[in-house]
Amino acid sequence: MITVRKILFYLVLTTAALSFVYPFYWMFMASFTPEKHIGNLIFFPPELTFDNFRSMFSKIPIERALLNSIIVSFINTGMALVFSSMAGYALSRMRFRGRGVIFIILIFTMSLPFLITLIPNYILMVKFGWIDTYLSLTIPFLVNALAIIMFRQAFQTIPQALIDAAHIDGCGEMRIVFSILWPNIKPTIITVAILVFMSSWNEVLWPLIVIRDENLMTLPQMVTLFAVGGRAEAQLGVKLASAVFLAAPIIIAYAFFQKYFIQSMASSGLKD
């Protein structure tokens, strides 16, 4: 039986959901709306047009920026999966002095804002001669503290008997991690991949500092320079079209893998 209390509960939930969804819906619809009608847009545009996207492609070299973002994001995601899982395995299964201290320091680093390490990292990039190279966009992101913690938690749910059996069969530590443990933590791997990919894809500040060559600029960097640098010529529709183009890969990735993402997040609180 539906009570008044339950109706109010769902009404509040629906209102909260719409408050999150509507800005994205408006941005998407406005990107297909003629410039003169954007100011009056509430739900549906009076007519649809692709002129904003045509203008976006004609004004900025977005194809090259898209390729750069894809290369950098996939490299960063792959490296984070490999190195973070190795670190997570060491912290969860290997016994060595200082393991607890390392884990505490790891958690502490997550509380530090990225701006604190910005200048030291930039000085290192200059010393190594990596400014205006892909190395400056990938090497600083070899490992990810959140990914290490998630892998550590996932590996702790694996029975020790399975690892002992692998040792008896002659498996090395690397083969145990990638051939035996990885197939058992697919939701965690996919969740980490989505989080790292999103973080790398949306990064703007670091590329703005280390990349000046237009041919090496990433998509968020190019869109930011396009939106605030004057190339958009104050056309709001073109800016919104570039924002939709920037968000599309993340939305598509989440739509395909959201089942694993929710499964990993829902079960993470039950792990030791």
Side-chain angles (χ1 to χ4, degrees), residues 40-272:
N40 301 321
L41 176 66
I42 297 178
F43 289 106
F44 300 104
E47 57 182 298
L48 295 176
T49 179
F50 289 96
D51 288 346
N52 294 327
F53 287 92
R54 292 193 190 97
S55 298
M56 177 190 70
F57 282 105
S58 66
K59 292 175 183 295
I60 58 177
I62 205 162
E63 296 91 346
R64 179 66 192 183
L66 176 63
L67 177 62
N68 290 334
S69 275
I70 291 174
I71 293 173
V72 170
S73 297
F74 272 93
I75 291 176
N76 289 347
T77 303
M79 290 194 305
L81 287 176
V82 171
F83 292 109
S84 298
S85 63
M86 292 165 61
Y89 174 77
L91 291 174
S92 65
R93 293 298 178 180
M94 292 184 172
R95 299 289 181 266
F96 56 89
R97 184 176 298 177
R99 187 181 66 160
V101 175
I102 293 175
F103 184 63
I104 292 173
I105 294 174
L106 193 65
I107 294 177
F108 175 71
T109 60
M110 294 178 62
S111 65
L112 296 176
F114 179 67
L115 291 175
I116 290 180
T117 59
L118 194 64
I119 299 303
N121 280 336
Y122 175 73
I123 293 174
L124 286 176
M125 295 300 107
V126 173
K127 295 286 186 184
F128 292 147
W130 290 350
I131 298 297
D132 270 339
T133 68
Y134 282 123
L135 293 174
S136 62
L137 296 174
T138 54
I139 297 300
F141 304 97
L142 275 175
V143 293
N144 184 291
L146 176 61
I148 293 175
I149 293 173
M150 292 187 69
F151 275 117
R152 176 184 178 273
Q153 296 298 102
F155 288 147
Q156 285 184 338
T157 65
I158 305 293
Q160 182 61 37
L162 179 64
I163 298 174
D164 293 339
H167 279 136
I168 293 172
D169 287 342
C171 293
E173 304 295 348
M174 300 291 282
R175 188 177 177 188
I176 290 175
V177 172
F178 297 113
S179 298
I180 296 176
L181 298 187
W182 266 36
N184 290 288
I185 57 166
K186 286 180 181 177
T188 299
I189 294 173
I190 293 174
T191 301
V192 170
I194 291 176
L195 293 177
V196 175
F197 185 84
M198 286 173 56
S199 175
S200 178
W201 185 270
N202 294 326
E203 181 62 47
V204 175
L205 181 58
W206 181 248
L208 282 173
I209 293 174
V210 297
I211 299 297
R212 292 119 189 201
D213 184 351
E214 196 170 272
N215 290 323
L216 294 174
M217 289 184 178
T218 61
L219 187 57
Q221 181 183 9
M222 186 65 76
V223 169
T224 301
L225 292 175
F226 169 72
V228 301
R231 291 190 187 182
E233 299 173 351
Q235 290 180 294
L236 181 58
V238 182
K239 295 179 182 178
L240 293 172
S242 62
V244 170
F245 192 78
L246 177 63
I250 299 296
I251 296 174
I252 293 172
Y254 181 77
F256 275 102
F257 299 111
Q258 56 91 17
K259 180 181 70 174
Y260 299 100
F261 185 83
I262 294 173
Q263 180 181 345
S264 176
M265 287 297 176
S267 60
S268 60
L270 302 176
K271 294 169 183 174
D272 296 332

